Amino acid sequence: MRQIDLHKLADDARFNRFHGRVLFWCALIIVFDGYDLSVVGIALPSIMAKMGVDATNAGFMVSSALFGMMFGAIFLGTIADKIGRRWAIAICIGLFSVFTAAAGLADDPVTFGAMRFLAGLGIGGVMPNVVAQMTEYSPRKIRATLVTLMFSGYAVGGIIAALLGKGLIETYGWQSVFFAAGLPVLLIPVILKSVPESMPFLLAKGRSDELKEIASRLDPGYRPQATDRFVVPAQDKADSAPIRHLFREGRGFSTVMFWIAFFMCLFMVFALSSWLTKLMASAGYSLGSALTFVLVLNAGAMVGAIGGGWLADRFHIKYVLAAMYALAAVSLTLLGFKMPTPALFVLVGLAGASTIGTQIVANAYTGQFYPMAFRSTGLGWALGVGRSGAILAPILIGVLVGMSLPLHQNFIAIAIPAVIGMIAVLFINHERSASMQHANASSELNQAPASMPAVRGS
């Protein structure tokens, strides 16, 4: 009887068509998610004018989706470890597609907020699941690169929202960009068929035939045998109480540090995504020019995400992430001061790279930190707790905008969390990460005497 270590099989695999397919579908889902997140910020000036709401009330309208995202990240991230990731992802897509489109039918702030709350459940729930999925199936040597490349779809979604916003809002009204968000629901059957299930979930359910198929696609050299027995390290085995594992085996303090880092980064991300257009418009730019800043912000996010992932695979991911927080503090602070327009565009791009891009690298690091059996849970709780920062940001910055403070004070308020986030990342104990423990275990196995039996992967 052969023992096939699923984690080792995924770690040592070479990138092939199977990995490309997982990357494509996960990235496409994140594009949808990024569009749904960005569309409110794009349409916010028009919504405020049509519904007659002030900046403070608009901040609460934006935050309604973020409340939903907090609950969605925690509960739909956790439930995926129980019902499987494919169905959790499908449920999330259905929620954010249907209810974002429904928000376009609202004609008052309360109805709009309710629809955005329900959409937020799906927006928040899908993120930990696709990150966990991409992390699980990525080869170890390029894992951070693939996860951040996948998550750069968030910026692509933001760019699509800005482009559609420039073309549609003035012609067809703000509702049009919300109706477009309903289209992804049509892809749910295809996604259920195309996206593989989580390996620990299949192992826990005894679905060996599906595991053999996945193993042969991960490693084309693997030839299934009837007596093959699939195993994962003890810490990667699924059980009925994954939440408690976030605080076991020395992970508790680092878990709290991840939560603080996520809170701070999501504060910055949603402060910018919700208010950058309005801040630039109030600084004297036209709506079209202000939307161009959103395009530059998301283009910078793509560069930051992919570049950050590339650096994280070659240097220590923890210190790469801390440096990105530091860059955010500098670029956001400088944004509030007058300068030539080309220099301002460069700073907006750097802000996108070091806020949205930083969050994407933070997602990748969190996915590597926790074992695969409760990876969705760990990332879901980090995102869920971090959403309180995302909820606070539109409200707090909305209050500051309503006070008509100088522009630089608004951007300093957005920059302060970057310093706190950097400190939290530096306090994370990387020695307790699953990636480090697997590396140590593999090293010990390679140094074991030849007579000692070893778990094999073909």
Side-chain angles (χ1 to χ4, degrees), residues 33-101:
D33 206 48
Y35 180 93
D36 281 50
L37 275 173
S38 302
V39 71
V40 175
I42 296 300
L44 190 59
S46 299
I47 294 172
M48 290 173 66
K50 292 291 184 181
M51 294 189 183
V53 296
D54 60 20
T56 300
N57 288 328
F60 282 100
M61 289 173 63
V62 173
S63 287
S64 60
L66 306 180
F67 276 105
M69 291 173 69
M70 179 175 66
F71 293 111
I74 292 173
F75 295 113
L76 290 174
T78 301
I79 201 174
D81 293 323
K82 303 179 186 297
I83 69 171
R85 286 203 199 111
R86 286 192 309 166
W87 277 105
I89 289 171
I91 291 169
C92 291
I93 294 172
L95 284 170
F96 69 67
S97 298
V98 170
F99 289 107
T100 298

Side-chain angles (χ1 to χ4, degrees), residues 90 98 227 297:
V98 170
T227 58
L297 181 81

Side-chain angles (χ1 to χ4, degrees), residues 89-136:
I89 289 171
I91 291 169
C92 291
I93 294 172
L95 284 170
F96 69 67
S97 298
V98 170
F99 289 107
T100 298
L105 299 173
D107 56 7
D108 64 271
V110 175
T111 303
F112 181 88
M115 294 301 100
R116 289 298 292 164
F117 173 83
L118 294 171
L121 294 173
I123 297 171
V126 81
M127 287 186 182
N129 284 300
V130 293
V131 173
Q133 189 81 345
M134 196 71 246
T135 302
E136 179 175 322

